[in-house]
Amino acid sequence: MKERLASYIKIFTLPILLSGCIETSRWNGMEFVNIQDSIISPYDIAIDMEFANGKNPEQQIIANNINAKLQDLFLEKVDTTNLPSTIKEYIKKLCDTYKQEDINYHINRSDHLKGRFEYGLNGTVNYIFTEDYYGGGAHPTSTTVILCFNAETGSQITTNELVVDSCRGKLIDKLTEKLMKNVNVNCIDSLRELGYLDMSDMFISDNFLLGKDSISFYYNAYDIAPYAYGSTTLSFSYEELDGIITFSNDNQ
């Protein structure tokens, strides 16, 4: 079947992207640029993602570090010199995969991927990526992945860097307490009666956002609650986690 790719931003190297993309924000010579591509047949697939662009060679190294991580994680290929091509290839790969899976089934699939940068704590930048997918069944699924980057180096900040090693148990306790407070119960048994933590104990989510005044841990549906409850966000002021995490608004 012939595939018709929808029109997309025709850009060939990242430094040229600025003239053809939507600029959303910047820091110290860094800009965010938006790249989109999509098809409507044989499957409804759309990708709408921001990437980093440095305005000087030093910042471009940082941008490439960030973009390489985004590509590796979400597009299964790293080529920071031609991001539109990487996106186009990924859409084709999805189509090929779905066609192979659909040999015996005819499923109306849709797969929409969106990624945006968001500023928060000084010296860091967050990336929020969401995939909305439907491939048959009772309902679509929506999955969010949040990445935090060191704005000075472009390296990802993970829970290994975020949480003081000896305080991981304390953080899990605080996450459990916050969840109980949010749903107005006072013990884990009551949480489980509501459907929370039914399939797993509380854990430190790798999806966290370093905001200007608070840190938020994000849990997708099914992580700690049934699908019907949707996602769960547990937020703390930096003061609440003083001594437990290594990033706070004192770093500003």
Side-chain angles (χ1 to χ4, degrees), residues 66-239:
I66 293 173
N67 293 337
K69 183 66 179 180
L70 298 179
Q71 285 181 279
D72 182 47
L73 207 58
F74 304 126
L75 303 176
E76 300 179 1
K77 179 184 176 182
V78 175
D79 180 4
T80 57
T81 65
N82 198 332
L83 294 166
S85 175
T86 303
I87 286 177
K88 185 176 291 297
E89 288 178 23
Y90 186 64
I91 289 176
K92 183 180 183 304
K93 182 177 180 179
L94 284 179
C95 282
D96 291 343
T97 299
Y98 295 157
K99 283 180 184 177
Q100 184 64 33
E101 293 175 354
D102 289 351
I103 290 175
N104 298 317
Y105 303 96
H106 299 285
I107 300 174
N108 293 322
R109 296 183 192 254
S110 65
D111 200 352
H112 294 177
L113 293 73
K114 184 174 183 178
R116 290 289 182 269
F117 286 98
E118 180 177 312
Y119 283 114
L121 187 67
N122 191 39
T124 67
V125 63
N126 303 287
Y127 193 82
I128 303 171
F129 177 88
T130 299
E131 179 176 16
D132 294 315
Y133 172 78
Y134 180 73
H139 52 71
T141 60
S142 181
T143 304
T144 295
V145 177
I146 303 174
L147 306 179
C148 295
F149 292 98
N150 185 319
E152 300 300 318
T153 64
S155 60
Q156 185 185 355
I157 302 166
T158 68
T159 54
N160 288 335
E161 290 81 35
L162 177 75
V163 184
V164 175
D165 220 24
S166 60
C167 295
R168 297 183 74 86
K170 289 182 181 178
L171 180 53
I172 289 173
D173 289 343
K174 284 190 171 289
L175 288 164
T176 306
E177 291 167 6
K178 182 70 70 171
L179 178 59
M180 289 192 293
K181 181 178 179 182
N182 287 357
V183 299
N184 279 324
V185 300
N186 55 17
C187 68
I188 291 180
D189 287 343
S190 296
L191 277 176
R192 289 187 168 135
E193 286 175 7
L194 292 175
Y196 290 97
L197 304 179
D198 189 39
M199 303 296 291
S200 71
D201 294 328
M202 179 58 76
F203 62 94
I204 300 169
S205 177
D206 291 326
N207 286 338
F208 62 87
L209 188 145
L210 294 174
K212 182 177 179 182
D213 301 310
S214 63
I215 176 172
S216 297
F217 293 88
Y218 183 94
Y219 298 85
N220 285 292
Y222 295 122
D223 281 349
I224 60 172
Y227 175 84
Y229 288 6
S231 62
T232 302
T233 302
L234 303 176
S235 299
F236 302 85
S237 68
Y238 288 108
E239 289 75 15

Side-chain angles (χ1 to χ4, degrees), residues 9-23:
I9 302 172
K10 297 181 179 178
I11 313 155
F12 299 97
T13 58
L14 191 57
I16 302 174
L17 286 171
L18 294 176
S19 62
C21 295
I22 302 169
E23 178 185 334

Side-chain angles (χ1 to χ4, degrees), residues 16-44:
I16 302 174
L17 286 171
L18 294 176
S19 62
C21 295
I22 302 169
E23 178 185 334
T24 57
S25 48
R26 67 179 65 207
W27 86 86
N28 295 332
M30 189 75 70
E31 296 175 319
F32 303 147
V33 291
N34 177 250
I35 305 177
Q36 302 175 20
D37 202 346
S38 63
I39 63 170
I40 56 174
S41 177
Y43 304 103
D44 174 13

